């Protein structure tokens, strides 16, 4: 009964064939996996990529660490390989730039080292003219520093000076307060009787005198306008009387024509006088006949002169701008 109750012993599993070889293969696979992971990490970090060296010189390397990216337009195009101290006491930042990204760096490129108040330090590259020659391998460039935190003391000092100036301006005995008080007094005087004119002249009496003078000037202007209107009417009437169809100009023109005719007659009479005088000189014996002819010719000349004188008097009577006219006979 006792032997039957005892459980039967379990059989041992059979041995694994080639256990040592399989363990060795597993170890080799894990080692290969580790090596592949390391190689992939190195490849991802650009260890096997062809690069060129760029050296940036800065005053200090505060905030800069190995592995920091060099960015262009927000994209990383290089990585800090090491940081060293130069003989001049400056920091030399050695950056590896892949050849495929080196085309963004030109001889005219500018490099900045920006330290923000909150956030990490950034190294940035700016290339304004991409047609310039490419940046050579091993080029050394100075980096422009932009430290926001360094400007905080200057900004605080400026704000302190501004607050002190504001306090000085807003004080009760400050020039600004006195100016505002005077401006208020001036506004009250402007709103008072006399207005701005009383403020300019210094008294209300002067303002009233100026207003009275202006009123008289307006009256004089009105009278002058009325007088000018009357003068315009007189000028129009004078134009109608002198230059109109029935004006003096037409009568004067007719009188001038009559005068020309009478002068023509006088000229002919004078020519006859000259001929008779020549005949009188040539014929000395016939003095009586010549004297009779001269007497009649003189009568004609006097009649012509009387006509001319009457015509001139008529012109002087009709023409308002007459002049003294004198006719001299030869």
């Amino acid at each position: 009964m006792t032997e039957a109750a005892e459980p039967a012993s379990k059989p041992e599993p059979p041995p694994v064939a080639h256990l040592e070889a399989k363990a060795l293969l597993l170890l080799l696979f894990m080692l290969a996996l580790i090596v592949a992971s390391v190689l992939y990490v190195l490849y991802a970090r650009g260890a096997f990529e062809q690069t060129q060296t760029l050296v940036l010189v800065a005053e200090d390397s505060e905030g800069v660490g190995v592995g920091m990216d060099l960015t262009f337009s927000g994209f990383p195009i290089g990585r800090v390989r090491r940081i060293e101290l130069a003989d001049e006491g400056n920091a030399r930042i050695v950056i590896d730039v892949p050849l495929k990204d080196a085309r963004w760096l030109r001889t005219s490129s500018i490099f900045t080292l920006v330290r923000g108040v909150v956030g990490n330090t950034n190294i940035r590259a700016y290339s304004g003219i991409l047609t310039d020659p490419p940046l050579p391998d091993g080029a050394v460039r100075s980096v422009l520093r932009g430290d926001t935190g360094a400007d905080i003391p200057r900004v605080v000092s400026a704000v302190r000076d501004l607050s002190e100036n504001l306090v000085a301006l807003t004080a009760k005995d400050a020039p600004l307060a006195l100016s505002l008080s005077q401006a208020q007094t001036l506004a009250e005087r402007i709103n008072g009787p006399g207005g701005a004119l009383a403020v300019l002249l210094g008294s209300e009496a002067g303002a009233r005198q100026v207003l009275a003078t202006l009123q008289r000037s307006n009256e004089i202007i009105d009278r002058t306008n009325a007088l000018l209107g009357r003068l315009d009417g007189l000028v129009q009437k004078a134009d109608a009387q002198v230059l109109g169809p029935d004006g003096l100009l037409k009568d004067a023109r007719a009188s001038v024509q009559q005068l020309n005719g009478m002068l023509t007659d006088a000229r002919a009479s004078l020519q006859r006088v000259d001929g008779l005088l020549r005949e009188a000189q040539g014929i000395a014996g016939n003095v009586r006949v010549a004297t009779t002819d001269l007497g009649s010719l003189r009568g004609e000349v006097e009649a012509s002169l009387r006509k001319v004188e009457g015509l001139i008097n008529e012109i002087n009577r009709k023409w308002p701008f007459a002049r003294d006219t004198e006719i001299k006979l030869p």
Side-chain angles (χ1 to χ4, degrees):
M1 297 287 298
T2 303
E3 293 179 358
E6 292 180 356
S9 61
K10 296 181 179 179
E12 296 182 357
V16 179
H18 309 290
L19 180 61
E20 295 179 356
K22 292 179 178 179
L24 181 60
L25 290 175
L26 181 59
L27 291 175
L28 290 176
F29 176 75
M30 293 187 64
L31 181 61
L33 185 61
I34 293 172
V35 171
S37 300
V38 172
L39 292 177
Y40 177 76
V41 171
L42 292 176
Y43 174 77
R45 296 184 63 85
F48 303 105
E49 192 174 16
Q50 294 182 354
T51 60
Q52 72 177 38
T53 304
L54 170 65
V55 180
L56 299 180
V57 180
E59 295 181 358
D60 56 68
S61 61
E62 183 180 358
V64 181
V66 176
M68 181 179 293
D69 292 332
L70 169 67
T71 61
F72 176 82
S73 298
F75 295 92
I77 60 172
R79 185 174 289 106
V80 177
R81 177 159 49 93
R82 70 175 184 273
I83 303 172
E84 56 188 15
L85 184 63
D87 296 337
E88 295 82 6
N90 297 329
R92 290 171 55 91
I93 304 172
V94 182
I95 300 175
D96 291 334
V97 181
L99 293 180
K100 66 181 182 63
D101 295 327
R103 60 192 179 94
W104 300 112
L105 300 180
R106 301 291 172 173
T107 55
S108 61
S109 297
I110 299 174
F111 302 92
T112 61
L113 179 62
V114 181
R115 298 187 181 96
V117 178
V118 178
N120 298 327
T121 303
N122 297 319
I123 303 176
R124 299 172 182 173
Y126 299 92
S127 298
I129 305 176
L130 296 177
T131 57
D132 287 346
L135 192 68
D137 187 11
V140 180
R141 291 290 185 272
S142 298
V143 64
L144 300 178
R145 182 177 176 181
D147 191 357
T148 307
D151 294 336
I152 293 178
R154 182 177 61 82
V155 173
V156 172
S157 177
V159 171
R160 185 183 298 111
D161 294 339
L162 180 61
S163 62
E164 291 177 357
N165 292 332
L166 289 176
V167 171
L169 287 174
T170 56
K172 293 183 178 179
D173 56 347
L176 180 60
L178 295 177
S179 300
L180 292 176
S181 177
Q182 293 176 359
Q184 184 177 2
T185 304
L186 181 62
E188 291 177 355
R189 293 185 61 185
I190 291 175
N191 294 327
L197 190 59
V199 174
L200 293 176
L201 298 177
S203 63
E204 297 181 6
R208 287 194 295 269
Q209 291 179 358
V210 171
L211 293 176
T213 303
L214 291 176
Q215 186 175 0
R216 292 176 182 174
S217 300
N218 292 330
E219 293 176 357
I220 292 173
I221 291 172
D222 294 337
R223 293 178 181 177
T224 303
N225 291 331
L227 181 59
L228 290 175
R230 294 179 62 187
L231 287 176
D232 291 337
L234 292 176
V235 169
Q236 292 177 0
K237 291 180 180 179
D239 290 340
Q241 292 178 359
V242 175
L243 302 177
D246 297 331
L248 297 176
L249 184 60
K250 184 177 180 180
D251 296 338
R253 188 177 300 170
S255 301
V256 169
Q257 291 177 357
Q258 294 178 4
L259 179 61
N260 288 332
M262 296 179 69
L263 289 176
T264 302
D265 296 337
R267 185 181 301 166
S269 300
L270 291 175
Q271 289 177 356
R272 291 178 60 189
V273 169
D274 291 336
L276 291 174
L277 289 176
R278 285 194 298 269
E279 290 179 359
Q281 291 176 358
I283 306 172
N286 197 5
V287 177
R288 183 178 299 173
V289 177
T291 302
T292 303
D293 293 338
L294 286 173
S296 61
L297 184 58
R298 183 176 180 180
E300 293 179 1
V301 172
E302 289 179 355
S304 298
L305 289 177
R306 283 194 296 272
K307 292 180 181 180
V308 171
E309 184 178 1
L311 183 59
I312 290 173
N313 292 331
E314 183 68 18
I315 291 174
N316 289 331
R317 185 180 61 82
K318 294 182 178 180
W319 187 252
F321 306 103
R323 298 192 303 269
D324 294 337
T325 305
E326 182 179 0
I327 298 176
K328 295 181 180 181
L329 295 177

